[in-house]
Amino acid sequence: MKKKFRILIIGSGGREHAIAWSFTRDTNVEKVFCAPGNGGTASLAENVKISINDFDGLIRFVRQHNIDFTVVGPELPLSAGIVDHFDAEGELIFGPTQSAARLESSKIFAREFMERNHIPQPKFIVCDSLDAAREAQKTFGFPLVVKADGLAAGKGVIICNTESEFDTAMDQMFTRQVFGTAGERITIEKFLEGEELSVFAVCDGDTFVVLNTAQDHKRIFEEDEGPNTGGMGAYSPTRLATPELMSRIESLVLIPTLAGLKKEGTPYKGFLYAGIMVVNGEPYVIEYNVRLGDPETQVVLPLLKSSFAELIFASLQQELHNVNVEISSDTAVTVVLAVDGYPGKYPKGMIIEGLEECAHQLIFHAGTERRSDQTVVTTGGRVLNVCGLGQDLSSAIRDAYSSIGTIRFDHMIYRRDIGQRGLRYLLRKQDD
Ligand code: AMP
Ligand code: GLY
């Protein structure tokens, strides 16, 4: 009989709950552990109290519990070299090395890499001083985009429409240094106007499989108002992703990215998330992330019909070319239930009610904890992801929103327009 996998997932968000859910319904999987996990993973996997930064502790756990392979959710341990650490210890782990993770941990590395490898992207200038940035501003005019080089939890990208917005951005980067060393160097980029989509691929160093596409809703308020968040909802797939566009993205972006990294001595193994802006039908890379998106994973994985564990194991063996991936033709939507105040300061520890009444609904936990008395309380700004499925976007939206009225916790907020941008796009296409 074929051996069943014992898997460790690293992270504690909605993405990691979705990954754990996918593994636990997989007949190839024996047992799933999450370090540290959340209130949702507690009910289908075993949560382990080890910090995502305690690489030695994680290695000890993997050995004691005969883990076959480890899957990393968030970018921080990847950019801190968790994969190099596991590789050196001879333990299987799915993710890019620290060096390959620079695609996300350094925006300047990523831009210069794309330039070397002729991957389409907006024009950019690297600046390490206020004077250089002011010169670059003159080249681009407005609007333009200012990006801190290093990791800034999604907050290091500032779109400037006016001189005064640019001054504020410069003040944040160079004078007040709100992003610390991450903002010591910046890129200034041409602002691209178009439709955005995210592409998620599984890579084995040589080749890749596209899992699906998705569109995120980054702003906190409806109609894309207010500050950027980690993501307030998503849907998959996006109708922007026609077979023609996907084939351009593969040949212009994914193939040269993997080939370029291999040629430069840092072959890429892991999830690759390409943020693409489509301008007049042509793809440009806005950013790379070296992980799956959150909340995009919560819509991408429910549409994967074939085994996710087999797919990752095949990548680890560099045998991705032998795997058949089956993806549902349905649409998935997820709506994030968050706490009023997020992405700034917000209260914690509120009891969540109504989850049992929604047992029929696919709900992934993010910032939650299950207490010993089985109550579930909030521990983060993004709390739950309520997912809906349907044959098309409208029915998936209806399904996602149908249960939200049943769930209650103090200071709960959510966007009521998740997916509407996709519906508007479909209407425009019908009019064309
Ligand atoms: P990033 O963290 O690099 O994905 O940037 C956050 C968001 O800023 C993206 O999802 C885009 O909506 C926007 N953005 C970043 N760079 C550009 C650009 N060069 N042109 C237009 N929008 C951009
Ligand atoms: N939802 C955006 C991200 O995961 O980066």
Side-chain angles (χ1 to χ4, degrees):
M1 205 177 77
K2 206 170 81 176
K3 185 181 178 318
K4 291 191 173 194
F5 301 122
R6 294 168 63 81
I7 307 174
L8 172 66
I9 301 170
I10 292 178
S12 60
R15 166 183 49 213
E16 288 75 23
H17 187 186
I19 295 173
W21 169 82
S22 180
F23 286 153
T24 49
R25 17 195 335 261
D26 191 324
T27 51
N28 297 294
V29 175
E30 180 191 306
K31 180 140 189 166
V32 180
F33 297 88
C34 292
N38 61 30
T41 59
S43 59
L44 48 78
E46 189 173 322
N47 284 352
V48 188
K49 274 205 180 101
I50 306 176
S51 154
I52 62 173
N53 304 311
D54 178 5
F55 299 168
D56 288 328
L58 291 166
I59 291 277
R60 268 196 305 276
F61 180 85
V62 157
R63 291 192 176 142
Q64 277 161 4
H65 292 83
N66 296 318
I67 299 295
D68 294 297
F69 61 87
T70 298
V71 177
V72 188
E75 65 277 17
L76 275 176
L78 293 168
S79 66
I82 190 170
V83 170
D84 310 68
H85 199 88
F86 271 58
D87 283 351
E89 294 286 339
E91 297 297 340
L92 276 185
I93 186 164
F94 190 61
T97 57
Q98 184 171 35
S99 193
R102 283 180 300 167
L103 280 188
E104 177 167 359
S105 63
S106 168
K107 302 241 184 228
I108 296 175
F109 172 82
R111 287 281 176 238
E112 291 178 341
F113 168 80
M114 285 184 259
E115 192 165 51
R116 285 195 295 280
N117 290 281
H118 314 290
I119 295 166
Q121 61 173 333
K123 287 203 167 46
F124 72 98
I125 298 177
V126 174
C127 306
D128 56 9
S129 71
L130 193 53
D131 286 345
R134 293 215 177 279
E135 274 309 302
Q137 186 276 310
K138 287 185 203 142
T139 310
F140 289 117
F142 291 110
L144 55 72
V145 186
V146 173
K147 295 188 179 179
D149 178 45
L151 292 177
K155 296 184 186 119
V157 174
I158 307 173
I159 295 170
C160 304
N161 290 297
T162 61
E163 191 88 44
S164 93
E165 286 174 4
F166 183 71
D167 287 344
T168 308
M170 291 304 100
D171 188 49
Q172 288 187 331
M173 298 290 170
F174 292 121
T175 316
R176 288 192 291 127
Q177 299 182 328
V178 297
F179 303 111
T181 52
E184 269 173 7
R185 298 208 300 154
I186 62 171
T187 67
I188 297 200
E189 303 181 1
K190 184 175 162 53
F191 176 84
L192 294 183
E193 180 102 53
E195 294 276 351
E196 230 174 316
L197 86 157
S198 305
V199 179
F200 297 93
V202 171
C203 309
D204 72 357
D206 282 315
T207 183
F208 63 88
V209 165
V210 172
L211 282 179
N212 218 324
T213 61
Q215 198 163 48
D216 190 10
H217 296 63
K218 286 204 166 87
R219 305 294 194 97
I220 184 77
F221 299 128
E222 280 148 33
E223 299 299 326
D224 296 326
E225 304 270 351
N228 265 333
T229 67
M232 292 299 290
Y235 63 91
S236 173
T238 145
R239 294 295 157 213
L240 270 175
T242 57
E244 296 73 35
L245 179 65
M246 289 313 289
S247 127
R248 305 262 318 139
I249 291 174
E250 290 190 6
S251 61
L252 294 173
V253 178
L254 298 176
I255 293 173
T257 299
L258 291 198
L261 285 166
K262 193 171 178 193
K263 190 179 71 200
E264 295 183 9
T266 53
Y268 193 94
K269 208 177 267 189
F271 302 113
L272 181 65
Y273 158 166
I276 304 282
M277 189 73 80
V278 184
V279 185
N280 299 326
E282 286 298 323
Y284 294 84
V285 179
I286 290 292
E287 64 162 353
Y288 292 110
N289 292 305
V290 297
R291 52 180 171 81
L292 291 176
D294 186 343
E296 295 92 326
T297 307
Q298 293 86 304
V299 285
V300 166
L301 288 185
L303 297 176
L304 179 67
K305 292 206 316 205
S306 45
S307 164
F308 190 42
E310 286 270 32
L311 184 63
I312 292 177
F313 190 68
S315 309
L316 286 165
Q317 308 301 317
Q318 258 164 295
E319 288 191 353
L320 210 41
H321 53 277
N322 288 330
V323 181
N324 270 331
V325 176
E326 236 190 296
I327 292 169
S328 160
S329 59
D330 283 353
T331 297
V333 169
T334 189
V335 180
V336 171
L337 307 188
V339 181
D340 195 10
Y342 172 79
K345 280 205 168 84
Y346 54 82
K348 292 184 187 175
M350 285 86 75
I351 292 175
I352 306 170
E353 288 174 304
L355 285 172
E356 299 74 31
E357 293 136 71
C358 304
H360 59 283
Q361 195 87 26
L362 190 53
I363 298 179
F364 295 123
H365 291 222
T368 77
E369 183 183 67
R370 189 173 290 270
R371 291 196 171 149
S372 49
D373 63 3
Q374 294 307 311
T375 51
V376 180
V377 299
T378 74
T379 56
R382 291 192 293 173
V383 177
L384 296 168
N385 303 263
V386 182
C387 303
L389 288 164
Q391 283 182 342
D392 56 23
L393 183 55
S394 333
S395 52
I397 293 172
R398 261 198 312 281
D399 187 31
Y401 280 98
S402 64
S403 290
I404 289 181
T406 317
I407 301 170
R408 299 172 301 278
F409 57 86
D410 287 346
H411 312 289
M412 178 173 115
I413 55 162
Y414 61 93
R415 279 181 59 161
R416 286 161 177 77
D417 66 344
I418 302 302
Q420 295 300 324
R421 198 161 5 122
L423 288 183
R424 282 201 294 269
Y425 178 78
L426 287 177
L427 282 176
R428 276 205 308 280
K429 281 272 122 187
Q430 279 163 13
D431 288 346
D432 282 351

